[in-house]
Amino acid sequence: MRISTNYLFTNVASSISNGMDLYAAETNNKLYKIHKAGDNPAAQSQIMLLQSTMSINTSYTESANNAATLAKETSASLDSYKKSTENYLALTEKAINGTTNAEDKRVFAKNLNEIIEQVALTANSKSYTGNYVFAGNKSTSPAFSFTRNSDGNIAGFKYEGNSIQKKIVIGTNLNSNISYDGSNLFSNKDGVSIFSGLIELRDKLEKGESFSPEEATKLKATAKSFNDEAIVKTTDIAIGAERINTTIKRYESLDISYSTQLSTLQDSDFGQFTVNLARFKNMTMSSISVMQTVLKMSEDIISM
C-alpha cells in the first residue's frame, strides 16, 4: 500500500495538535483538582464547608482586631486614670498631715484642680471610632457634663451616659466590650464618684480648714479607695485586652490550618503535573521531528 506525503503530513499534524490539546488541558487543570461538583462530590462539600468557615473566621478576625484596638485605647485611658488616683492619694496624705498651713492647703487645692481636670478629660475620652468610650451605649455624646464656679474650676458633675455596655461579637459565644459604664469605672467599690471625693477635698483645702484626726483618716481612706478600685479595673481591662490578642492569634493559626486543608483538597499534585507536561512536551517534539523528516523526504522527491 502506497502512503502519500499528504497522508503522513496530515497524521503527524494531527498528532501534534492532539499533544498540544493535552498540554493545554493539563495546564488548565494545574491549579485545581475539582472544577465542578461532579468531579468529587464529597471533596466539593468539604471545600464549600471550609470556604464558609474561613469566611466566618475572617469576619471574626476583623472584629477581634477592632476590639483589640479599642481595648488598647481603653487600657491607656485607665492607666492615665490610675495615675491620677495615685496623685490624688499622695496629695491627700500631704495635705492632711497636720503640719500644713492655710496657704499650703490652697496650693494643694490648686493641684487638686489639675487632677480633677485630668480625670474629667479621661472620663470623656473618645475612641478611634469617634465614640465616647465611657458613656455606655449613649456613646455619641460626652459621658460626663460639668458645671464650673466663678473661678472656672469644676464645681459639679453629672453622668450623661448609661450602664448599658455596647459589645462586639468576636467569636461563637464570645464578645468584647466597646463601651463602658463610666459612672462605675470612675467610682470606688461603694459607688462614690471620684469627682465627689476630689471636689470635697478641694473645697476644704481652699477654705484652709483644719482636719481632725478622724476626718483626716476618713479623707485618706476615701482617696485610697479610688486608687484601689482603679488598680482592679485597670487590671481587668488589661486582662480583657490580652484575651482578645490571644483570640486573634488563635484565628490566625486556624486560618493557616484551614488554608492548608483547602489546598490539600483543591490543589493539584504538582509533581505529577510536572511529569505530565514533560511527557506531552516529548510527544510534541517527537511529532515535530517526524514532520520535519516527512518534509525533507518530500523535498528530496521533488528534487529528483
Side-chain angles (χ1 to χ4, degrees):
M1 177 178 170
R2 185 176 179 181
I3 301 175
S4 69
T5 301
N6 285 342
Y7 178 81
L8 286 172
F9 186 88
T10 300
N11 277 275
V12 173
S14 177
S15 177
I16 293 174
S17 177
N18 289 337
M20 294 303 292
D21 287 344
L22 288 172
Y23 181 92
E26 185 68 15
T27 303
N28 184 54
N29 291 329
K30 71 177 182 178
L31 294 178
Y32 300 111
K33 295 176 182 177
I34 300 170
H35 291 268
K36 57 183 185 297
D39 293 344
N40 188 333
Q44 183 64 22
S45 177
Q46 293 180 56
I47 288 172
M48 291 176 67
L49 178 60
L50 273 172
Q51 289 174 334
S52 175
T53 303
M54 290 175 70
S55 178
I56 294 172
N57 192 66
T58 298
S59 178
Y60 282 156
T61 300
E62 291 175 355
S63 295
N65 281 324
N66 288 334
T69 300
L70 289 165
K72 183 178 180 180
E73 291 180 342
T74 303
S75 184
S77 293
L78 287 187
D79 281 340
S80 174
Y81 171 61
K82 180 165 71 72
K83 180 64 177 177
S84 293
T85 64
E86 291 169 356
N87 294 337
Y88 172 21
L89 177 58
L91 193 149
T92 300
E93 290 174 338
K94 291 179 182 178
I96 63 176
N97 64 10
T99 61
T100 54
N101 56 39
E103 186 57 34
D104 289 335
K105 289 176 181 178
R106 292 188 182 93
V107 173
F108 287 139
K110 182 179 179 181
N111 293 336
L112 274 176
N113 273 324
E114 294 175 357
I115 295 174
I116 294 171
E117 293 291 345
Q118 180 57 53
V119 174
L121 184 65
T122 301
N124 280 339
S125 295
K126 283 185 177 183
S127 70
Y128 80 99
T129 63
N131 291 323
Y132 291 90
V133 182
F134 304 114
N137 74 349
K138 297 176 69 175
S139 56
T140 58
S141 302
F144 289 86
S145 61
F146 301 97
T147 57
R148 296 179 180 273
N149 58 27
S150 58
D151 295 324
N153 298 319
I154 292 176
F157 68 96
K158 180 182 178 183
Y159 182 57
E160 302 290 355
N162 57 31
S163 61
I164 302 173
Q165 301 181 121
K166 293 197 294 186
K167 301 178 183 294
I168 184 173
V169 176
I170 61 173
T172 303
N173 299 321
L174 186 63
N175 52 54
S176 173
N177 287 345
I178 57 175
S179 71
Y180 298 84
D181 176 5
S183 65
N184 175 267
L185 279 178
F186 298 101
S187 298
N188 62 17
K189 64 179 182 179
D190 297 321
V192 177
S193 171
I194 189 171
F195 292 112
S196 295
L198 285 166
I199 292 171
E200 178 186 6
L201 179 58
R202 188 271 318 272
D203 290 347
K204 288 179 179 295
L205 291 173
E206 282 184 341
K207 296 174 182 177
E209 294 181 1
S210 298
F211 305 110
S212 66
E214 294 76 16
E215 188 175 17
T217 299
K218 181 181 177 182
L219 289 170
K220 182 179 178 180
T222 298
K224 186 175 184 302
S225 72
F226 293 117
N227 181 237
D228 289 344
E229 194 65 11
I231 292 172
V232 171
K233 289 167 179 172
T234 301
T235 302
D236 288 344
I237 294 294
I239 291 173
E242 187 56 35
R243 285 174 179 168
I244 295 171
N245 289 331
T246 299
T247 298
I248 292 173
K249 291 178 182 177
R250 180 166 61 86
Y251 287 151
E252 291 172 346
S253 178
L254 285 173
D255 188 61
I256 294 173
S257 175
Y258 292 149
S259 296
T260 301
Q261 293 178 56
L262 185 62
S263 177
T264 300
L265 286 168
Q266 195 176 53
D267 294 354
S268 289
D269 183 341
F270 280 89
Q272 185 60 47
F273 165 69
T274 302
V275 170
N276 290 343
L277 288 188
R279 179 165 57 85
F280 297 147
K281 179 181 178 181
N282 290 335
M283 288 171 57
T284 302
M285 293 303 295
S286 177
S287 297
I288 291 173
S289 178
V290 171
M291 178 172 281
Q292 289 173 337
T293 300
V294 171
L295 290 173
K296 182 66 169 60
M297 289 172 59
S298 297
E299 291 174 356
D300 290 344
I301 292 172
I302 292 171
S303 63
M304 291 177 62

